[in-house]
Amino acid sequence: MELYSDIASPPCQNVLLVAKRLGIKLNIKETDIMNAGVVAELTKVNPQHTIPTFVDDGHVIWESYAIAIYLVEKYGQDDALYPKDPKVRSVVNQRLFFDIGTLYKNVLANINMLIEKQQPSAEMQKKLEQALDLTEKFVAERSYIAADHLTLADIFVLSSITALEWLRYDLERYPGIRAWYGRVTAEFPDHADFLKEIREATKQFIVTYCPHLEY
């Protein structure tokens, strides 16, 4: 199984964490999508040339949500990460859709403004704050964000929260998120090393492509 990936990318982090949780060994193909030559090669596999892109014995999938669900359904020893119970799964799905359409969307929008040497508007900052306010409510309802145990929703929201480091975002007013973050990262014994890799890769990306930013 091959994964075209860059650990600085939150969507790639999602897939890497799911694979860790499932005990799956991936052949990581480091992919710099800022490099035109690399993108040209990736386009041969994925016409949308996005990462992560996953290849399993010739079967190609992209979009991290789709890859994660595929991995759980095909290689999971149980359905804990993506429960089959319709009611529980519906909450997991809602949180996943909330992440892609609201939380991560607004985190990324604010980051992209900084990359483009602009400051996020007051409206953009407000939308991010509203997304985090909702996240705080979600994690206050139960120990994890969608169930009483770790699910895919926790992993995806974790990467979105981790990406706030780009913005030097202060989570002091979100005690629920901070407590939840500790519970989720504790599910991954080597998360400190994983986070170190993320920070090193992010710093390298910024030095190379966004030297005007501080990280």
Side-chain angles (χ1 to χ4, degrees):
M1 290 181 282
E2 297 179 336
L3 183 71
Y4 293 80
S5 175
D6 180 344
I7 199 172
S9 159
C12 293
Q13 293 164 28
N14 294 330
V15 176
L16 293 169
L17 284 173
V18 171
K20 281 178 179 290
R21 187 69 177 182
L22 296 175
I24 295 172
K25 179 68 174 178
L26 298 173
N27 176 21
I28 305 298
K29 301 179 80 66
E30 298 293 343
T31 307
D32 179 0
I33 59 171
M34 303 295 285
N35 183 306
V38 171
V39 170
E41 286 300 311
L42 180 59
T43 302
K44 296 176 183 178
V45 179
N46 168 4
Q48 199 172 347
H49 53 76
T50 54
I51 55 173
T53 294
F54 175 75
V55 183
D56 185 7
D57 193 25
H59 180 60
V60 182
I61 316 172
W62 57 94
E63 297 296 344
S64 60
Y65 301 84
I67 297 169
I69 291 171
Y70 174 84
L71 288 175
V72 172
E73 292 188 327
K74 183 170 182 180
Y75 296 104
Q77 297 299 307
D78 53 45
D79 70 338
L81 284 181
Y82 197 49
K84 292 179 181 177
D85 179 275
K87 289 184 178 179
V88 181
R89 180 171 285 196
S90 71
V91 179
V92 175
N93 284 337
Q94 185 276 318
R95 302 300 194 249
L96 289 173
F97 298 150
F98 164 76
D99 182 60
I100 192 172
T102 303
L103 179 59
Y104 181 60
K105 176 183 178 180
N106 284 293
V107 172
L108 185 61
N110 279 262
I111 290 172
N112 281 340
M113 290 297 288
L114 296 181
I115 289 175
E116 295 169 4
K117 301 182 180 181
Q118 301 180 52
Q119 286 299 313
S121 67
E123 181 181 359
M124 294 175 69
Q125 294 179 56
K126 183 63 175 178
K127 286 183 177 180
L128 175 55
E129 180 181 340
Q130 291 172 337
L132 289 169
D133 288 345
L134 283 168
T135 305
E136 178 77 2
K137 290 180 180 179
F138 295 155
V139 298
E141 294 174 0
R142 46 178 67 85
S143 298
Y144 293 85
I145 203 165
D148 60 0
H149 61 274
L150 185 80
T151 67
L152 289 180
D154 294 288
I155 292 173
F156 277 74
V157 173
L158 173 65
S159 296
S160 296
I161 296 299
T162 300
L164 290 172
E165 291 193 2
W166 281 77
L167 305 171
R168 298 175 178 244
Y169 203 96
D170 185 359
L171 290 171
E172 182 62 29
R173 61 184 290 259
Y174 297 108
I177 292 176
R178 289 186 284 111
W180 163 87
Y181 182 92
R183 284 192 293 274
V184 175
T185 55
E187 296 275 357
F188 299 89
D190 64 345
H191 189 267
D193 292 334
F194 186 72
L195 184 57
K196 183 179 179 180
E197 287 185 59
I198 292 172
R199 288 169 172 165
E200 290 175 348
T202 301
K203 184 175 182 178
Q204 185 57 51
F205 177 90
I206 289 173
V207 167
T208 305
Y209 298 110
C210 314
H212 57 285
L213 293 180
E214 293 184 5
Y215 181 78

PDB file of all heavy atoms in Angstrom, residues 13-28:
ATOM      1  N   GLN A  13      -2.043  13.892   7.599  1.00  0.00           N
ATOM      2  CA  GLN A  13      -1.929  13.487   9.005  1.00  0.00           C
ATOM      3  C   GLN A  13      -3.086  12.569   9.383  1.00  0.00           C
ATOM      4  O   GLN A  13      -2.909  11.586  10.119  1.00  0.00           O
ATOM      5  CB  GLN A  13      -1.920  14.719   9.909  1.00  0.00           C
ATOM      6  CG  GLN A  13      -0.705  15.605   9.756  1.00  0.00           C
ATOM      7  CD  GLN A  13      -0.928  16.985  10.361  1.00  0.00           C
ATOM      8  OE1 GLN A  13      -1.713  17.155  11.292  1.00  0.00           O
ATOM      9  NE2 GLN A  13      -0.249  17.982   9.822  1.00  0.00           N
ATOM     10  N   ASN A  14      -4.281  12.883   8.893  1.00  0.00           N
ATOM     11  CA  ASN A  14      -5.446  12.045   9.193  1.00  0.00           C
ATOM     12  C   ASN A  14      -5.219  10.597   8.791  1.00  0.00           C
ATOM     13  O   ASN A  14      -5.449   9.668   9.568  1.00  0.00           O
ATOM     14  CB  ASN A  14      -6.682  12.583   8.453  1.00  0.00           C
ATOM     15  CG  ASN A  14      -7.119  13.951   8.935  1.00  0.00           C
ATOM     16  OD1 ASN A  14      -6.927  14.303  10.090  1.00  0.00           O
ATOM     17  ND2 ASN A  14      -7.705  14.724   8.042  1.00  0.00           N
ATOM     18  N   VAL A  15      -4.788  10.404   7.563  1.00  0.00           N
ATOM     19  CA  VAL A  15      -4.587   9.048   7.050  1.00  0.00           C
ATOM     20  C   VAL A  15      -3.449   8.345   7.789  1.00  0.00           C
ATOM     21  O   VAL A  15      -3.546   7.166   8.125  1.00  0.00           O
ATOM     22  CB  VAL A  15      -4.323   9.076   5.533  1.00  0.00           C
ATOM     23  CG1 VAL A  15      -4.019   7.673   5.010  1.00  0.00           C
ATOM     24  CG2 VAL A  15      -5.532   9.662   4.797  1.00  0.00           C
ATOM     25  N   LEU A  16      -2.385   9.074   8.054  1.00  0.00           N
ATOM     26  CA  LEU A  16      -1.254   8.484   8.773  1.00  0.00           C
ATOM     27  C   LEU A  16      -1.668   8.020  10.166  1.00  0.00           C
ATOM     28  O   LEU A  16      -1.265   6.945  10.625  1.00  0.00           O
ATOM     29  CB  LEU A  16      -0.111   9.500   8.864  1.00  0.00           C
ATOM     30  CG  LEU A  16       0.558   9.862   7.537  1.00  0.00           C
ATOM     31  CD1 LEU A  16       1.477  11.076   7.717  1.00  0.00           C
ATOM     32  CD2 LEU A  16       1.350   8.680   6.976  1.00  0.00           C
ATOM     33  N   LEU A  17      -2.503   8.803  10.847  1.00  0.00           N
ATOM     34  CA  LEU A  17      -2.952   8.423  12.183  1.00  0.00           C
ATOM     35  C   LEU A  17      -3.906   7.236  12.144  1.00  0.00           C
ATOM     36  O   LEU A  17      -3.856   6.352  13.013  1.00  0.00           O
ATOM     37  CB  LEU A  17      -3.623   9.612  12.872  1.00  0.00           C
ATOM     38  CG  LEU A  17      -2.671  10.683  13.409  1.00  0.00           C
ATOM     39  CD1 LEU A  17      -3.460  11.892  13.913  1.00  0.00           C
ATOM     40  CD2 LEU A  17      -1.788  10.129  14.529  1.00  0.00           C
ATOM     41  N   VAL A  18      -4.770   7.194  11.153  1.00  0.00           N
ATOM     42  CA  VAL A  18      -5.675   6.048  11.019  1.00  0.00           C
ATOM     43  C   VAL A  18      -4.862   4.778  10.773  1.00  0.00           C
ATOM     44  O   VAL A  18      -5.129   3.725  11.374  1.00  0.00           O
ATOM     45  CB  VAL A  18      -6.690   6.275   9.882  1.00  0.00           C
ATOM     46  CG1 VAL A  18      -7.478   4.995   9.595  1.00  0.00           C
ATOM     47  CG2 VAL A  18      -7.656   7.395  10.247  1.00  0.00           C
ATOM     48  N   ALA A  19      -3.869   4.875   9.904  1.00  0.00           N
ATOM     49  CA  ALA A  19      -3.016   3.712   9.634  1.00  0.00           C
ATOM     50  C   ALA A  19      -2.289   3.273  10.902  1.00  0.00           C
ATOM     51  O   ALA A  19      -2.172   2.074  11.187  1.00  0.00           O
ATOM     52  CB  ALA A  19      -2.020   4.037   8.528  1.00  0.00           C
ATOM     53  N   LYS A  20      -1.796   4.238  11.684  1.00  0.00           N
ATOM     54  CA  LYS A  20      -1.138   3.908  12.949  1.00  0.00           C
ATOM     55  C   LYS A  20      -2.093   3.152  13.861  1.00  0.00           C
ATOM     56  O   LYS A  20      -1.739   2.137  14.473  1.00  0.00           O
ATOM     57  CB  LYS A  20      -0.665   5.188  13.656  1.00  0.00           C
ATOM     58  CG  LYS A  20       0.628   5.792  13.136  1.00  0.00           C
ATOM     59  CD  LYS A  20       0.944   7.078  13.903  1.00  0.00           C
ATOM     60  CE  LYS A  20       2.248   7.709  13.439  1.00  0.00           C
ATOM     61  NZ  LYS A  20       3.413   6.906  13.834  1.00  0.00           N
ATOM     62  N   ARG A  21      -3.297   3.661  13.969  1.00  0.00           N
ATOM     63  CA  ARG A  21      -4.287   3.049  14.853  1.00  0.00           C
ATOM     64  C   ARG A  21      -4.626   1.624  14.437  1.00  0.00           C
ATOM     65  O   ARG A  21      -4.868   0.746  15.281  1.00  0.00           O
ATOM     66  CB  ARG A  21      -5.547   3.908  14.867  1.00  0.00           C
ATOM     67  CG  ARG A  21      -6.583   3.463  15.882  1.00  0.00           C
ATOM     68  CD  ARG A  21      -6.106   3.703  17.295  1.00  0.00           C
ATOM     69  NE  ARG A  21      -7.136   3.332  18.269  1.00  0.00           N
ATOM     70  CZ  ARG A  21      -7.012   3.469  19.573  1.00  0.00           C
ATOM     71  NH1 ARG A  21      -5.904   3.980  20.081  1.00  0.00           N
ATOM     72  NH2 ARG A  21      -7.980   3.099  20.385  1.00  0.00           N
ATOM     73  N   LEU A  22      -4.651   1.396  13.137  1.00  0.00           N
ATOM     74  CA  LEU A  22      -4.993   0.076  12.616  1.00  0.00           C
ATOM     75  C   LEU A  22      -3.786  -0.853  12.522  1.00  0.00           C
ATOM     76  O   LEU A  22      -3.938  -2.036  12.209  1.00  0.00           O
ATOM     77  CB  LEU A  22      -5.638   0.208  11.230  1.00  0.00           C
ATOM     78  CG  LEU A  22      -6.980   0.954  11.177  1.00  0.00           C
ATOM     79  CD1 LEU A  22      -7.430   1.106   9.740  1.00  0.00           C
ATOM     80  CD2 LEU A  22      -8.039   0.226  11.997  1.00  0.00           C
ATOM     81  N   GLY A  23      -2.594  -0.319  12.770  1.00  0.00           N
ATOM     82  CA  GLY A  23      -1.387  -1.132  12.656  1.00  0.00           C
ATOM     83  C   GLY A  23      -1.025  -1.465  11.224  1.00  0.00           C
ATOM     84  O   GLY A  23      -0.437  -2.515  10.943  1.00  0.00           O
ATOM     85  N   ILE A  24      -1.358  -0.553  10.317  1.00  0.00           N
ATOM     86  CA  ILE A  24      -1.097  -0.766   8.888  1.00  0.00           C
ATOM     87  C   ILE A  24       0.230  -0.128   8.506  1.00  0.00           C
ATOM     88  O   ILE A  24       0.507   1.022   8.838  1.00  0.00           O
ATOM     89  CB  ILE A  24      -2.222  -0.152   8.028  1.00  0.00           C
ATOM     90  CG1 ILE A  24      -3.542  -0.893   8.287  1.00  0.00           C
ATOM     91  CG2 ILE A  24      -1.870  -0.191   6.553  1.00  0.00           C
ATOM     92  CD1 ILE A  24      -4.727  -0.233   7.620  1.00  0.00           C
ATOM     93  N   LYS A  25       1.041  -0.868   7.784  1.00  0.00           N
ATOM     94  CA  LYS A  25       2.307  -0.352   7.285  1.00  0.00           C
ATOM     95  C   LYS A  25       2.100   0.230   5.895  1.00  0.00           C
ATOM     96  O   LYS A  25       1.659  -0.454   4.972  1.00  0.00           O
ATOM     97  CB  LYS A  25       3.353  -1.480   7.231  1.00  0.00           C
ATOM     98  CG  LYS A  25       4.707  -1.062   6.691  1.00  0.00           C
ATOM     99  CD  LYS A  25       5.417  -0.107   7.637  1.00  0.00           C
ATOM    100  CE  LYS A  25       6.837   0.198   7.145  1.00  0.00           C
ATOM    101  NZ  LYS A  25       7.533   1.172   8.032  1.00  0.00           N
ATOM    102  N   LEU A  26       2.418   1.506   5.733  1.00  0.00           N
ATOM    103  CA  LEU A  26       2.269   2.177   4.445  1.00  0.00           C
ATOM    104  C   LEU A  26       3.637   2.490   3.854  1.00  0.00           C
ATOM    105  O   LEU A  26       4.569   2.836   4.580  1.00  0.00           O
ATOM    106  CB  LEU A  26       1.493   3.484   4.607  1.00  0.00           C
ATOM    107  CG  LEU A  26       0.060   3.403   5.127  1.00  0.00           C
ATOM    108  CD1 LEU A  26      -0.475   4.811   5.389  1.00  0.00           C
ATOM    109  CD2 LEU A  26      -0.837   2.688   4.132  1.00  0.00           C
ATOM    110  N   ASN A  27       3.717   2.380   2.542  1.00  0.00           N
ATOM    111  CA  ASN A  27       4.905   2.821   1.830  1.00  0.00           C
ATOM    112  C   ASN A  27       4.696   4.302   1.504  1.00  0.00           C
ATOM    113  O   ASN A  27       3.937   4.654   0.610  1.00  0.00           O
ATOM    114  CB  ASN A  27       5.091   2.007   0.543  1.00  0.00           C
ATOM    115  CG  ASN A  27       6.260   2.495  -0.294  1.00  0.00           C
ATOM    116  OD1 ASN A  27       7.169   3.158   0.218  1.00  0.00           O
ATOM    117  ND2 ASN A  27       6.236   2.195  -1.579  1.00  0.00           N
ATOM    118  N   ILE A  28       5.342   5.170   2.277  1.00  0.00           N
ATOM    119  CA  ILE A  28       5.130   6.610   2.126  1.00  0.00           C
ATOM    120  C   ILE A  28       5.971   7.163   0.982  1.00  0.00           C
ATOM    121  O   ILE A  28       7.183   6.997   0.943  1.00  0.00           O
ATOM    122  CB  ILE A  28       5.493   7.363   3.421  1.00  0.00           C
ATOM    123  CG1 ILE A  28       4.729   6.785   4.614  1.00  0.00           C
ATOM    124  CG2 ILE A  28       5.202   8.849   3.256  1.00  0.00           C
ATOM    125  CD1 ILE A  28       3.236   6.901   4.520  1.00  0.00           C
TER     126      ILE A  28
END
